[in-house]
Amino acid sequence: MSVPRIKDIGVIECEPDGARLTVVKIMTDQDGLYGYGCATFTQRADLVKPAVEKYLKPFLLGKSTDRIEDIWQSCYDSSYWKNGPVLNNAISGIDQALWDIKGRQAGMPVYQLAGGKCREAADTYAHASGASSPMWSRVRGALWRRAFAMCVCRWGCPGMAGYGSRHLEAGRPQALHDKPLFDREMQMRRGLKLLEICRHELGDEVELLHDMHERLTPNEAVQFCKEAEQYRMFFLEDPLSPEDLGYFRQIRENCATPIAMGELFNSRMSGSR
């Protein structure tokens, strides 16, 4: 069987339900053989397409699709300033598309190439967000009716920027009183109050999750995690930014709440320190 080579690379931009997604498509020199990969970087969506088309595509045309690891390494090292989120998302789309091609060649999904499944099912969760307690309760009730037993609970600070509080529409402030501000202390108090309400209203049968979005200082994050332990959470997500990884030791020494972390790492080497 002849080895496929990269004939063309395209970028597909779409926006289902308001989420800006970027997909890379690699076409090969063999008819009907192609692959798709996710290169989404929602916070800076417009930058990924030129990164693929202007820099990676010219570098990769004509290369063998079989050399997936070599392509990843060479794309990563081809830029002197490497390990940034724009270029790494672009490389991620290329890498996934190449694995998709490999799976199509083998006639099986990629997870089978990686050793097959290791569980029969996985827990899922939904988000219940709102700017106030009544609004959050309505959203949460709708989720329960859809049989979600896990829930990410969050609400925003009224009149301030942040998750749970709508403040932007078409890139402009939605109302004059909406300010591009964020009060850490208020968010901390409201976050703990929300967890208290959740546990009181929902009992012990529902798993609670809360995303902190690295919004607090390291010392505040340690304090928040300590105080949140009483609500017996499934996990707390991103209490610290990648720049403050050293404070995770303090969090672990002070509480047993499971911590989720990693979505802001730029590459597989980011967490090595």
Side-chain angles (χ1 to χ4, degrees), residues 6-11 24-28 52-53 56-61 94 97:
I6 298 175
K7 182 180 180 179
D8 196 10
I9 300 176
V11 177
V24 171
K25 181 178 181 180
I26 294 181
M27 285 71 76
T28 74
V52 173
E53 294 182 338
L56 296 183
K57 177 179 176 178
F59 179 70
L60 294 174
L61 290 179
I94 296 292

Side-chain angles (χ1 to χ4, degrees), residues 12-16 18-23:
I12 303 167
E13 294 181 311
C14 53
E15 194 171 349
R20 299 190 62 187
L21 308 181
T22 304
V23 178

Side-chain angles (χ1 to χ4, degrees), residues 233-250:
M233 303 180 63
F234 188 74
F235 66 67
L236 267 171
E237 183 174 352
D238 287 337
L240 299 167
S241 68
E243 293 81 10
D244 297 318
L245 292 183
Y247 282 87
F248 272 116
R249 182 181 297 275
Q250 287 192 38

